[in-house]
Amino acid sequence: MRLVRYRALFSGPAVERIPELQFQRPQPELELSEQDARKRKIANGDEVTVSSNGTSVTLRARLSRDLRAGVVRVAEEHAGELQPRVEVTKA
């Protein structure tokens, strides 16, 4: 699958350092299409492992009707060292 990283609207040092703004940080989740989730038997809210080239991250799945099949979205701060091509499996 193809990984698309995004930078959250409310991100950066000010949001990361101020406790009162923590609620604005993106949740540690992976957005994937409903079609891809069905193929992998993943339900909304399931923990999934996203891996590439020896690196893996565990995130919560969020299903999307709008996301194209074969693409997953993860906030930059949760993507870590993942490469552009990833494998997604139910944890």
Side-chain angles (χ1 to χ4, degrees):
M1 300 188 80
R2 193 173 126 237
L3 173 66
V4 174
R5 297 167 177 258
Y6 70 93
R7 184 175 170 148
L9 180 61
F10 293 100
S11 63
V15 175
E16 292 168 8
R17 291 187 203 132
I18 300 172
E20 292 82 10
L21 297 177
Q22 293 301 305
F23 74 96
Q24 294 182 338
R25 294 179 76 184
Q27 296 297 312
E29 61 187 15
L30 165 98
E31 186 178 2
L32 74 160
S33 73
E34 291 179 342
Q35 179 183 355
D36 289 330
R38 272 194 304 276
K39 286 181 187 176
R40 292 166 176 78
K41 296 181 171 57
I42 297 171
N44 202 37
D46 284 351
E47 280 195 354
V48 294
T49 301
V50 187
S51 56
S52 68
N53 205 21
T55 301
S56 66
V57 178
T58 301
L59 302 167
R60 196 145 313 270
R62 184 166 57 107
L63 307 186
S64 171
R65 291 182 180 163
D66 301 328
L67 198 61
R68 191 176 81 210
V71 175
V72 295
R73 283 180 16 118
V74 177
E76 182 71 38
E77 70 179 88
H78 300 299
E81 299 297 318
L82 292 171
Q83 301 298 311
R85 292 281 177 197
V86 296
E87 295 285 328
V88 177
T89 56
K90 192 170 178 178

